[in-house]
Each structure stands twice: as structure tokens, then as C-alpha cells.
Amino acid sequence: MGTGTSQYISTFTESWSNPNVVPSVLDKPKHDSLEGFESGRQERQRKASEEDLYWAKIPPNRRDYCADHLIELQRCRKLNYPFLSKCEHYKHDWDHCQNEDTILRMKEFERERRLLKRDERKRLSEEAAME
Amino acid sequence: MSRLALVRSSILYNQVRSFSYSRPALVFARDFKPGEYPKTEAERRAAAKKYGLRPEDYEPLPDNGLGFGDYPNLGRISTDMKSDWGDYDDPYLKRNFGEPIHVVQDQITADKVSLAKTRVSFSQIVFWFLFGSFVFIGLNYLLWDKKCFIPIAPKQYPRNALNGEEKHYKF
């Protein structure tokens, strides 16, 4: 067991002992997205419009921020069927986008977790100061 | 009654009838029904001769309401407990010509019930089953609210950001 495994396990074992330190996996984060960023944050954009997604018949669960690459991939596949190995470039782009999206989600989780821990520390220090 | 009468074709299928422990009722054809429980020595010897046993080997099942008249008690030996390598006249029943047939032979053939002593007793089986079930149910009860999950924020869809409430940023 390395530090990675124990850190991974501690993310949910902490939810059993100290639930208000662990971010939610289903709900929106409690803290403001721009808190702590002096120079602000870049917004995520999707170049494809709703109409493009409609005509490309992209299912709703795939209409995320990587849908642009997905539309290109599907177009390539349709043109080159059955030689789908010609679309590896677009597939790699889409996969890379998905990977970046997952990493961003992990970073969001970690950010939320650290903010919650900070709040907890503040609360405990206030309580200690009041006594 | 001759020994030729006690051949495989005369065994009727008694399984269904004899499941009752209080009054076991095996089915015998009329001519092959066992006689009354032998009370005198002469009756014993006659019964032993009838079934093809030596008088000193002949022991009828006890007359306590669960017996079968003068039918001999051939022990709790089923067909699969007999040697596989013996030279039998009838290999399915593992029986030679003239050998007496067990009262419930049709239930204890090699492909049916075995009377061998089991490695695991019935009480052990019951104990471990209940133990496992209570452990499983107990663990479920104790850990029901303690969830494991993948530590990742929910997926971000642009349709939620377009409403204006939620905004998605990069890092």
C-alpha cells in the first residue's frame, strides 16, 4: 500500500468519521468557483451550438464540453466507413479532451476538499479561542 | 418363496411411500410380501433360509412399528459404499445371484441416496449457514450508511451553464 492508495481510501473513510470535510460527489460545490483566484478564471467554451448537436444526433449524455471533437469523429467515421482506423486522429483528440475533463473534475474535487478543510480548521480554532 | 423371486424385476419403487417416518409403508407385490416377525427359533431359521442368509447372520428389523415383519436388516450400506472393483453378477446393484436385497434398495442405488457418513454433519451445516447469513446481514446493517465512492466532482454539462446559475471554469 503506497501513499496513493491510502490517500484514495481516506477520501471516503473520512466521510464516515468527519462528513463535513468531504465534498459531495453528486451536488454542486458549496464554495464560490472564483474564490481565491485574484486574476479570475477562464471560462469553458463549447464551439458547437445546440443546432449542430441536434443535426449530428449526439445523445444527451455526450453533449458535454468535448462534443466538438465528437462531432468531427462521427463525421469522419460516417465518411470512411468501414475503414474506421482512418479516424484515429479525431478519436485521439476526443479521448484527450475527455481525459482533460476528468482531470479537471479531480482538481475541482480536491479544491473543494481543501476549502472545506480550511473552513473546518477555522471553526475549530474559533471554538478553541472562545474557551 | 424361492430366491429367484428376489430379483431386480420384482423390486417396486418404494421411495414415495416410505418418506413417512411414523408409519413407513413400502410396497411389496402380494406374493413377495415379508412374513410376520419371527418369534420362535424355528421361525427364525425358516426366515433365514427363505432370504438366503445363514441363521447366525439373520437379524430382522426390530418389531417396534417401524420394521418390515421378518425382512432382514442388511445394515446401513448403500450401493456406492460397496467396492467398485468386485466381480458382481449384477453390476448396477453390485449384487451376486442369490444375495439378499436391502429393503430400500431402490432408494440407495449408486445414483440415488447414499448412506455413507458425511464429512460435515448436519448440525455443522446449519451452524455455518446461520453464521454466514448473520455476518452478511450484520455487516450490511452496520455499514449501510457508510459508502465508498470515486472522489471526483460531478460531470459538467454546458446546458447547465447556459441557464446562468452555474458557471464552468478551467484551472
Side-chain angles (χ1 to χ4, degrees):
Chain A
M1 297 251 296
T3 47
T5 318
S6 55
Q7 271 178 356
Y8 178 83
I9 290 170
S10 71
T11 47
F12 46 78
T13 48
E14 266 178 348
S15 71
W16 308 337
S17 52
N18 200 357
N20 55 353
V21 174
V22 176
S24 165
V25 182
L26 301 168
D27 309 322
K28 289 189 292 197
K30 290 197 189 79
H31 293 91
D32 185 31
S33 302
L34 293 168
E35 187 179 326
F37 289 91
E38 295 97 14
S39 46
R41 284 172 83 172
Q42 222 181 349
E43 274 199 39
R44 294 185 86 179
Q45 301 287 352
R46 185 181 65 194
K47 295 187 205 66
S49 63
E50 287 286 337
E51 211 184 326
D52 294 339
L53 292 172
Y54 174 80
W55 287 110
K57 300 186 202 170
I58 307 287
N61 62 338
R62 292 268 171 96
R63 294 192 182 185
D64 53 4
Y65 285 101
C66 298
D68 325 320
H69 301 286
L70 186 61
I71 292 174
E72 284 171 19
L73 172 62
Q74 299 287 42
R75 181 169 180 270
C76 172
R77 283 165 70 105
K78 189 176 162 65
L79 292 173
N80 289 318
Y81 189 86
F83 307 107
L84 302 177
S85 55
K86 290 185 176 178
C87 300
E88 291 295 312
H89 168 69
Y90 296 105
K91 197 167 185 186
H92 182 268
D93 281 345
W94 181 67
D95 261 337
H96 177 71
C97 175
Q98 291 283 9
N99 188 29
E100 293 286 340
D101 183 62
T102 307
I103 291 170
L104 191 135
R105 286 167 70 190
M106 290 161 75
K107 288 180 183 175
E108 288 280 359
F109 187 89
E110 182 61 25
R111 173 175 176 263
E112 182 65 20
R113 182 174 157 268
R114 289 188 192 182
L115 285 170
L116 285 168
K117 278 204 182 266
R118 182 161 160 263
D119 292 346
E120 184 73 10
R121 278 201 310 267
K122 278 190 183 172
R123 191 179 66 83
L124 288 172
S125 67
E126 275 171 19
E127 281 180 10
M130 282 207 305
E131 280 161 12
Chain B
M1 211 168 334
S2 71
R3 291 180 204 155
L4 284 166
L6 297 168
V7 293
R8 199 198 317 182
S9 58
S10 74
I11 299 170
L12 293 178
Y13 288 92
N14 292 310
Q15 284 170 204
V16 174
R17 292 288 187 104
S18 65
F19 271 127
S20 150
Y21 189 66
S22 58
R23 250 176 59 85
L26 296 190
V27 175
F28 292 94
R30 182 194 45 189
D31 289 343
F32 305 139
K33 224 170 130 148
E36 290 295 323
Y37 188 81
K39 295 186 181 58
T40 66
E41 197 51 43
E43 278 176 3
R44 273 193 167 241
R45 267 184 256 125
K49 190 170 185 321
K50 177 172 78 163
Y51 289 111
L53 287 166
R54 298 192 300 177
E56 50 266 28
D57 291 337
Y58 172 75
E59 185 60 47
L61 288 159
D63 192 26
N64 54 5
L66 302 171
F68 299 104
D70 64 356
Y71 209 99
N73 180 12
L74 299 171
R76 286 183 65 85
I77 299 171
S78 55
T79 313
D80 63 325
M81 290 157 75
K82 291 190 177 176
S83 167
D84 294 332
W85 307 112
D87 189 17
Y88 303 105
D89 296 333
D90 181 2
Y92 176 65
L93 291 177
K94 291 185 187 160
R95 175 186 170 266
N96 287 310
F97 180 81
E99 200 179 316
I101 299 181
H102 200 284
V103 147
V104 289
Q105 175 61 61
D106 59 315
Q107 299 175 30
I108 55 174
T109 53
D111 46 346
K112 292 184 189 171
V113 175
S114 168
L115 299 173
K117 198 154 167 282
T118 54
R119 264 186 67 193
V120 182
S121 69
F122 182 67
S123 52
Q124 269 191 334
I125 293 170
V126 169
F127 170 76
W128 285 113
F129 172 73
L130 291 173
F131 175 80
S133 60
F134 277 109
V135 163
F136 179 75
I137 293 168
L139 279 176
N140 261 277
Y141 179 77
L142 294 171
L143 301 175
W144 188 255
D145 292 320
K146 297 181 174 30
K147 314 271 188 193
C148 297
F149 52 86
I150 297 172
I152 198 165
K155 199 164 163 64
Q156 296 174 340
Y157 288 99
R159 57 175 174 261
N160 298 330
L162 291 170
N163 293 341
E165 242 181 37
E166 204 178 306
K167 277 196 175 292
H168 299 145
Y169 299 100
K170 296 190 198 174
F171 267 94

